[in-house]
Amino acid sequence: MDNKEGFGSCPIPIAEHDTVQLGHGSGGCMMNDLIREMFLDRFDNEALSRREDQAVVELGGARIAFSTDSFVVDPLFFPGGDIGDLAVNGTVNDIAMSGARPLFLSAGFIIEEGFHFEDLRRVTSSMVRSAEAAGVKIVTGDTKVVNRGQADKLFINTAGVGLMERPYLLGADRIRTGDRILINGTVADHGVAILSRREGLVFETTVESDSAPLNGLIETILDVAGDQVHALRDPTRGGVASALNEFAETAGVGIRLDETRIPIAGPVRGACELLGLDPLHVANEGKLLAVVAADAAEAVLQAMRSHPYGGAAAMIGDVVADDPGRVTLRTQLGTWRMVDMLVGEQLPRIC
Amino acid sequence: MDNKEGFGSCPIPIAEHDTVQLGHGSGGCMMNDLIREMFLDRFDNEALSRREDQAVVELGGARIAFSTDSFVVDPLFFPGGDIGDLAVNGTVNDIAMSGARPLFLSAGFIIEEGFHFEDLRRVTSSMVRSAEAAGVKIVTGDTKVVNRGQADKLFINTAGVGLMERPYLLGADRIRTGDRILINGTVADHGVAILSRREGLVFETTVESDSAPLNGLIETILDVAGDQVHALRDPTRGGVASALNEFAETAGVGIRLDETRIPIAGPVRGACELLGLDPLHVANEGKLLAVVAADAAEAVLQAMRSHPYGGAAAMIGDVVADDPGRVTLRTQLGTWRMVDMLVGEQLPRIC
């Protein structure tokens, strides 16, 4: 499928800028616009134009999933995690969303001169723990140091490869009318944890990032429902709203959500109201959206709830034929509203 | 082989610093010190402890080479290349040095807010051209934007995978006494090109970076000499001196170089003299050092010279049993001197 014409309804098209704006890294429609013009149209090939968070390629007879992510999160350490576990979990999750088993990671460090070794040790120790928890090995790496002021403390890139062992490939092109939308827990935890740390906000209970490796949960789901699971995506930058809009665009379907069913922790809801954020636009780092055939939805929901990373799983919506390319939400008041892809930038350096 | 105790003779050990210094990104012994303590001792596994520029892992029955590099070169555009072709060629070369055929790359961009789209287009176009020239595909990517002043213009990470199709794995552990050391052309071109651009130096002729994909040249060499080629390495950061010192340490052999045989372009030699640089410490981006069984050395030399990236190839030294772990140079005056690994930082952000 050629998705280049998708995601094209950005209200701030790239042609109106000469320079890169923060919004171009948001995970929303400005970023999609940038990626389409700068990268997709230039690096044109089949694997890239699937527009999933990972490429699936053939290598020596094996089917391999391959993905990369750079991490520029600020602050480096936050409640529930740090840049190290984010860097491992982020790439593990991007690989696993295809249905592949993540196996090997690379790690590239860009370090600002003057960065404390003690902090670097904390980060690398965290990467080791996360890699063990996810069952992957960090097998190759690179280190660059730049002069003071030319980078902010530490940036980490991870790339990873995984093996496609199942005979099907998950992806947005397999989404069908009648499918159910599931999520494995509460939304917006990561973004609110970062923001509260950054802004010095204090809530009654500390909001922690949900950063987690989801490959084990995905194995559990696929063991239960196999190819009745149609698509998986982790709603990171741009949040649940952007991920579901991408699904709706790519599959040419409508998605209807029920606000009363979307799990959200009390303090997170409070923080979003205080800060004027739509929790559906806030980043998650341990959540997945699963689009599942209706017949299998209940079984997948139970499987999620039996897993440590799915205790608060919920069925939050349906795939419909109406309003193709759009996501709509039935609010708690019973009214309907559009759920747009994130425009511009909400929280720079959220991951 | 456990190399953790190797490369340990750094005159500025990490324990004397609390913070990361520019020298820790130099490609020399401070960097090896950092990598050993921060990464190798923590991410302990067999693939990583080979200490080559790529990991070789088994994936679904296929033998895969996997490598990553981040690029922070300043300026982004320089005579003979730019950050885009450097990012493609660098990872292509790291994979190819194992004897594998590079096939697929990822690309992660960290962009400073305010970076010009025109420059980003130049860089991505250059990546496309370089990928085509090297016969690889860029199949997955990531884009982050950070606030103005939190990164310097543009950093690029590439990771890549290649297929090991030959029944042998090149590496420093295969180096033997009596082997010959070959290089495919002139040294120090890249570093001097960057430095002259950065410092506004003008020479009679412009010095151009040697940035090039070396996988085709390596295929040519291996077709001629097969597993009589024992080890290949691209002498990037830290230059020829650091790469050969790593070989000498890992293999537990001595290496003797003949200065009169080391190819160096006139303007590059002049610039190094002017700036007080040892050309053996200056970075290359289109060079490889080949350690080859004596019987095959002449054939490899001729094969190199027949290739577009090997016209100025030369046999520059021998592997000896004396002085294990050391590289020595017979100077043009007939005297002998030690060739040390680079200490500290010579040229920050050279690649």
Side-chain angles (χ1 to χ4, degrees):
Chain A
M1 183 179 312
D2 184 348
N3 289 316
K4 284 179 211 159
E5 298 308 311
F7 316 146
S9 55
C10 192
I12 314 172
I14 201 167
E16 299 198 1
H17 299 285
D18 291 331
T19 62
V20 176
Q21 312 291 308
L22 281 174
H24 290 115
S26 64
C29 74
M30 284 177 72
M31 190 172 90
N32 282 321
D33 212 20
L34 173 80
I35 289 172
R36 188 178 60 241
E37 183 178 332
M38 291 289 160
F39 306 123
L40 287 188
D41 289 357
R42 287 176 156 71
F43 303 156
D44 191 21
N45 60 62
E46 201 185 333
L48 196 61
S49 64
R50 278 181 68 236
R51 302 212 56 179
E52 299 288 341
D53 287 338
Q54 74 299 119
V56 176
V57 295
E58 182 102 8
L59 209 60
R63 281 202 315 159
I64 305 295
F66 181 31
S67 188
T68 190
D69 249 331
S70 297
F71 296 84
V72 298
V73 66
D74 176 42
L76 298 175
F77 305 97
F78 46 82
D82 59 48
I83 190 172
D85 60 70
L86 222 54
V88 170
N89 292 337
T91 290
V92 162
N93 292 348
D94 280 346
I95 294 168
M97 296 297 149
S98 67
R101 188 156 59 97
L103 288 168
F104 301 107
L105 300 191
S106 65
F109 297 81
I110 297 174
I111 310 173
E112 183 186 15
E113 178 190 13
F115 186 65
H116 280 269
F117 281 127
E118 198 183 308
D119 288 336
L120 191 56
R121 276 188 204 103
R122 273 180 76 187
V123 169
T124 53
S125 298
S126 165
M127 292 179 80
V128 170
R129 276 195 307 275
S130 303
E132 279 175 5
V136 298
K137 286 184 174 172
I138 298 170
V139 292
T140 190
D142 177 60
T143 307
K144 294 288 188 301
V145 181
V146 301
N147 311 64
R148 211 177 284 263
Q150 297 185 349
D152 187 23
K153 301 184 283 290
L154 175 66
F155 302 146
I156 300 177
N157 175 283
T158 51
V161 290
L163 188 61
M164 304 283 307
E165 295 167 311
R166 299 178 190 262
Y168 47 86
L169 170 61
L170 305 181
D173 55 323
R174 298 177 67 241
I175 295 172
R176 299 286 174 267
T177 301
D179 287 354
R180 302 286 188 261
I181 314 286
L182 284 74
I183 191 164
N184 63 313
T186 53
V187 301
D189 298 345
H190 175 74
V192 169
I194 295 287
L195 197 67
S196 58
R197 177 68 206 279
R198 205 188 283 171
E199 307 293 333
L201 301 181
V202 180
F203 307 109
E204 275 179 40
T205 47
T206 303
V207 175
E208 295 206 338
S209 168
D210 56 340
S211 176
L214 298 176
N215 48 334
L217 175 63
I218 292 171
E219 290 282 323
T220 302
I221 295 172
L222 295 180
D223 286 347
V224 164
D227 66 358
Q228 291 194 285
V229 179
H230 292 159
L232 298 172
R233 191 160 295 177
D234 50 343
T236 55
R237 281 181 295 172
V240 167
S242 298
L244 290 180
N245 267 283
E246 288 173 11
F247 276 166
E249 285 269 6
T250 302
V253 297
I255 290 179
R256 298 231 164 122
L257 299 178
D258 182 342
E259 190 172 28
T260 61
R261 294 192 177 191
I262 298 174
I264 178 163
V268 172
R269 185 190 303 275
C272 286
E273 283 172 6
L274 189 72
L275 298 163
L277 297 174
D278 181 346
L280 296 179
H281 281 151
V282 177
N284 310 276
E285 292 291 341
K287 292 299 166 332
L288 62 82
L289 292 160
V291 187
V292 180
D295 288 349
E298 192 56 38
V300 170
L301 185 65
Q302 293 314 319
M304 280 183 173
R305 287 181 176 163
S306 72
H307 191 278
Y309 295 132
M315 205 175 314
I316 61 171
D318 305 274
V319 177
V320 295
D322 293 348
D323 297 324
R326 306 237 177 234
V327 180
T328 47
L329 176 84
R330 188 170 191 278
T331 68
Q332 290 176 319
L333 304 173
T335 59
W336 288 90
R337 74 164 173 94
M338 295 280 304
V339 177
D340 287 321
M341 190 170 276
L342 179 61
V343 178
E345 180 54 290
Q346 188 188 49
L347 301 168
R349 300 184 59 188
I350 201 69
C351 63
Chain B
M1 184 182 309
D2 183 348
N3 288 318
K4 284 179 211 160
E5 297 309 311
F7 318 145
S9 54
C10 192
I12 314 172
I14 202 166
E16 299 197 1
H17 299 286
D18 290 332
T19 62
V20 176
Q21 312 291 308
L22 282 173
H24 290 115
S26 64
C29 74
M30 283 175 74
M31 190 172 89
N32 282 322
D33 212 20
L34 172 81
I35 289 172
R36 188 176 60 241
E37 183 178 332
M38 291 290 159
F39 306 123
L40 287 187
D41 289 356
R42 286 177 158 69
F43 302 155
D44 192 21
N45 60 63
E46 201 185 333
L48 196 62
S49 63
R50 278 180 68 237
R51 301 214 56 180
E52 299 288 341
D53 287 338
Q54 75 298 120
V56 176
V57 295
E58 183 104 5
L59 209 58
R63 282 204 312 160
I64 305 295
F66 181 31
S67 188
T68 190
D69 249 331
S70 297
F71 296 84
V72 298
V73 66
D74 176 40
L76 298 176
F77 304 96
F78 46 81
D82 60 47
I83 191 172
D85 60 69
L86 222 54
V88 170
N89 292 337
T91 290
V92 162
N93 292 346
D94 280 345
I95 294 167
M97 296 296 150
S98 67
R101 186 156 60 97
L103 287 168
F104 301 107
L105 299 192
S106 65
F109 297 81
I110 297 174
I111 311 174
E112 183 186 15
E113 178 190 13
F115 186 65
H116 281 269
F117 281 128
E118 198 183 308
D119 288 335
L120 191 56
R121 277 189 203 101
R122 274 180 75 187
V123 169
T124 54
S125 298
S126 164
M127 293 179 80
V128 171
R129 276 195 308 275
S130 304
E132 279 175 7
V136 297
K137 286 183 174 170
I138 298 169
V139 292
T140 189
D142 177 60
T143 307
K144 294 290 187 302
V145 181
V146 300
N147 311 64
R148 213 177 281 263
Q150 297 185 348
D152 188 22
K153 300 184 284 290
L154 175 66
F155 302 146
I156 301 177
N157 175 283
T158 50
V161 289
L163 189 60
M164 303 284 308
E165 295 167 312
R166 298 178 190 263
Y168 46 86
L169 170 61
L170 306 181
D173 55 323
R174 298 176 68 242
I175 295 173
R176 299 286 175 266
T177 301
D179 286 354
R180 303 285 188 260
I181 313 285
L182 285 75
I183 191 165
N184 63 313
T186 54
V187 300
D189 298 346
H190 176 75
V192 168
I194 295 288
L195 197 66
S196 58
R197 177 69 206 278
R198 205 187 283 171
E199 306 293 333
L201 301 180
V202 180
F203 307 109
E204 277 179 38
T205 47
T206 303
V207 175
E208 295 205 338
S209 168
D210 56 341
S211 177
L214 298 175
N215 48 334
L217 174 64
I218 291 171
E219 289 283 323
T220 303
I221 294 172
L222 295 179
D223 285 348
V224 164
D227 67 356
Q228 290 194 287
V229 179
H230 292 159
L232 299 172
R233 192 160 295 178
D234 50 342
T236 55
R237 281 180 295 172
V240 167
S242 298
L244 290 180
N245 267 283
E246 288 173 10
F247 276 165
E249 286 268 5
T250 302
V253 296
I255 290 179
R256 297 231 164 121
L257 299 178
D258 182 342
E259 190 172 28
T260 61
R261 295 193 177 190
I262 298 173
I264 178 163
V268 172
R269 185 190 302 279
C272 286
E273 283 172 5
L274 189 72
L275 298 164
L277 297 174
D278 181 344
L280 295 180
H281 281 153
V282 178
N284 310 273
E285 292 291 341
K287 292 299 165 333
L288 61 81
L289 292 160
V291 187
V292 180
D295 288 349
E298 192 56 39
V300 170
L301 186 63
Q302 293 314 319
M304 279 184 174
R305 287 182 176 162
S306 72
H307 191 277
Y309 295 132
M315 205 175 313
I316 62 172
D318 305 274
V319 177
V320 296
D322 293 349
D323 296 323
R326 304 236 178 236
V327 180
T328 48
L329 177 85
R330 188 170 190 276
T331 68
Q332 288 176 320
L333 304 173
T335 58
W336 287 90
R337 73 164 173 93
M338 294 280 302
V339 177
D340 287 321
M341 191 169 277
L342 179 63
V343 178
E345 181 53 290
Q346 188 188 49
L347 300 168
R349 299 185 60 188
I350 202 69
C351 64

